[in-house]
Amino acid sequence: AQSVTQPDIHITVSEGASLELRCNYSYGATPYLFWYVQSPGQGLQLLLKYFSGDTLVQGIKGFEAEFKRSQSSFNLRKPSVHWSDAAEYFCAVGGNFGNEKLTFGTGTRLTIIP
Amino acid sequence: KAGVTQTPRYLIKTRGQQVTLSCSPISGHRSVSWYQQTPGQGLQFLFEYFSETQRNKGNFPGRFSGRQFSNSRSEMNVSTLELGDSALYLCASSWGGRLAQNEQFFGPGTRLTVL
């Protein structure tokens, strides 16, 4: 069965600082990987996704993520955070035929301090 | 294009009652998925409907059911409510195709409180 681990429950960074959110997955084949963001009182919005090809993927709002098969990781990065990036971030893995559901990690809450 | 809408936004029920939640997907989207979000368990997949048929299912008891109408609107029903059913229920739509590959567009959710 597929699974996703986000080891950091809560991260606090200063505005303008760089950010890295960790995500580790477990899946037997090549995974479909996603990062979603949830702002308070809102649904989730897709930041980026990885299916195959270039292991460094660019997303919206200046985010990028790198797929590392050897480490089973798909970490999210941003070189300089803005106060508006404060939100909860979810990593997710999609299964293959017969197990198509998306499995989400438990999320990382990001707080930005001035 | 209007986004995914969910009604009602907030709901309070008592144990043993049943509840129906509604979701209107983005126009043109044929797939609707439902998720339960709780602080302890995070986001858990309930089921997905595509062209009025349940196509994928999570690991929830039979008290949780759903359906999809010909206009792609979907409803989710929970019978015999338990305290543990208190959660934010999120609906997501996508154009179709393979669920695991496609971007899902989420609604704001329905906050269900069971007393």
Side-chain angles (χ1 to χ4, degrees):
Chain A
Q2 67 217 49
S3 65
V4 177
T5 301
Q6 292 181 250
D8 303 305
I9 296 173
H10 187 200
I11 284 182
T12 300
V13 299
S14 299
E15 191 168 13
S18 64
L19 171 70
E20 183 169 26
L21 302 182
R22 296 184 291 165
C23 171
N24 292 99
Y25 69 89
S26 173
Y27 187 66
T30 300
Y32 303 120
L33 295 163
F34 305 80
W35 274 100
Y36 281 86
V37 61
Q38 185 178 34
S39 298
Q42 297 186 27
L44 281 72
Q45 180 185 22
L46 180 69
L47 286 175
L48 47 78
K49 60 185 178 184
Y50 171 79
F51 291 163
S52 64
D54 193 349
T55 56
L56 184 64
V57 293
Q58 303 296 322
I60 62 171
K61 305 184 181 186
F63 285 92
E64 66 178 26
E66 186 171 12
F67 170 63
K68 292 185 177 179
R69 184 188 300 275
S70 60
Q71 298 176 21
S72 297
S73 70
F74 188 57
N75 294 348
L76 182 71
R77 300 194 295 247
K78 186 170 186 178
S80 175
V81 298
H82 186 261
W83 63 267
S84 60
D85 293 324
E88 188 142 22
Y89 291 80
F90 294 91
C91 181
V93 60
N96 257 306
F97 292 109
N99 186 23
E100 289 265 1
K101 65 179 182 179
L102 272 191
T103 299
F104 284 83
T106 50
T108 298
R109 180 168 299 280
L110 175 64
T111 298
I112 308 294
I113 53 177
Chain B
K1 236 184 209 182
V4 178
T5 58
Q6 293 186 245
T7 56
R9 291 293 308 278
Y10 301 91
L11 208 49
I12 299 175
K13 293 285 188 179
T14 56
R15 276 181 301 173
Q17 288 187 308
Q18 74 163 16
V19 66
T20 299
L21 312 181
S22 181
C23 172
S24 293
I26 291 172
S27 178
H29 284 190
R30 297 170 63 193
S31 167
V32 174
S33 297
W34 288 89
Y35 294 85
Q36 181 194 66
Q37 185 177 21
T38 58
Q41 299 294 320
L43 273 151
Q44 293 188 286
F45 174 75
L46 281 154
F47 32 65
E48 181 223 5
Y49 284 85
F50 178 77
S51 293
E52 303 179 62
T53 301
Q54 189 180 87
R55 186 166 65 167
N56 289 286
K57 189 178 187 305
N59 299 317
F60 278 79
R63 299 186 298 109
F64 292 82
S65 63
R67 60 177 175 168
Q68 186 179 35
F69 302 95
S70 58
N71 61 359
S72 293
R73 190 176 70 84
S74 177
E75 288 182 346
M76 190 192 91
N77 184 274
V78 188
S79 63
T80 320
L81 283 166
E82 301 177 358
L83 294 178
D85 296 334
S86 294
L88 180 67
Y89 289 88
L90 292 165
C91 166
S93 75
S94 64
W95 68 272
R98 294 186 53 200
L99 175 64
Q101 292 185 6
N102 291 301
E103 175 178 1
Q104 294 188 59
F105 295 81
F106 284 79
T110 294
R111 173 75 61 187
L112 172 64
T113 302
V114 182
L115 303 176

